[in-house]
Amino acid sequence: MEMTAVPTIAHVLKSKKQAPLASLPPTATVLEALKLLAEREIGAVLIMQGEALLGIFTERDYARKIALKGLHSSEALLADVMTARLYTVGPRQTVQECMGIMTKARIRHLPVVEAGEVIGLVSIGDLVNATLEEQRFHIAQLESYIAGNLG
């Protein structure tokens, strides 16, 4: 990852292997969403009608809104169980700002929106990895500085 003074979500998106965004329409079933999550080995799918972001469906939604309530995945529609109250971020927001949003809201995924268009999705894991990468960069810089001054 290219390091700047303050890592942004744009940097995180650039460093991620960019698969197409996982999205389904609100009329899809929970079972369809679960299959997509399993195929892509991801934890969330965006619920979109055309270009419009309507909500998100996560593994946590499945556990709390389907499994615990005894509903059937093959019958329940995403429109009825998705999380519609979304937090979104822009590509220029910092990793630290987004970690703060996730912590305060107790969420694990943030859609990234620019000029009204969904351009990506970041997870808490993406942000932790970016933070670790930034720390590795700073440690290497300090080690180089120390070695240069002591040699």
Side-chain angles (χ1 to χ4, degrees), residues 22-47 57-59 62 66 72-79 81:
S23 67
L24 288 169
T27 53
T29 65
V30 169
L31 184 59
E32 291 173 274
L34 293 175
K35 287 178 181 177
L36 183 56
L37 294 176
E39 284 170 15
R40 298 266 195 99
E41 296 180 349
I42 54 176
V45 61
L46 297 176
I47 311 306
F57 180 79
T58 67
E59 293 166 322
Y62 175 75
I66 302 297
H72 297 282
S73 307
S74 58
E75 297 168 7
L77 299 181
L78 291 175
V81 296

Side-chain angles (χ1 to χ4, degrees), residues 8 23 27 37 39 46 53 57 69 72 76 80 95-96 100-101 104 111 113 119 126 130 144-145 148:
T8 64
S23 67
T27 53
L37 294 176
E39 284 170 15
L46 297 176
L53 177 62
F57 180 79
K69 293 186 177 179
H72 297 282
D80 298 327
V95 167
Q96 289 299 334
I101 292 167
K104 187 173 182 179
V113 177
I119 62 167
D126 297 330
S144 174
Y145 174 78

Side-chain angles (χ1 to χ4, degrees), residues 1 3-7 95-96 129-139:
M1 178 197 302
M3 282 295 115
T4 61
V6 179
V95 167
Q96 289 299 334
N129 286 336
T131 301
L132 291 173
E133 190 64 34
E134 179 188 21
Q135 289 173 349
R136 282 188 209 98
F137 173 79
H138 288 299
I139 290 168

Side-chain angles (χ1 to χ4, degrees), residues 5-20:
V6 179
T8 64
I9 295 306
H11 293 108
V12 174
L13 290 177
K14 199 179 292 181
S15 69
K16 282 177 71 165
K17 58 177 184 179
Q18 286 290 39

Side-chain angles (χ1 to χ4, degrees), residues 55-120:
I56 191 167
F57 180 79
T58 67
E59 293 166 322
R60 187 182 280 181
D61 289 323
Y62 175 75
R64 294 179 178 175
K65 297 174 183 174
I66 302 297
L68 287 177
K69 293 186 177 179
L71 299 176
H72 297 282
S73 307
S74 58
E75 297 168 7
L77 299 181
L78 291 175
D80 298 327
V81 296
M82 69 182 182
T83 298
R85 184 168 177 246
L86 289 177
Y87 293 84
T88 63
V89 294
R92 284 174 279 293
Q93 286 186 262
T94 67
V95 167
Q96 289 299 334
E97 286 173 329
C98 293
M99 287 183 93
I101 292 167
M102 287 180 162
T103 301
K104 187 173 182 179
R106 305 186 78 168
I107 57 175
R108 297 177 184 170
H109 301 88
L110 284 170
V112 183
V113 177
E114 184 173 42
E117 179 186 347
V118 179
I119 62 167

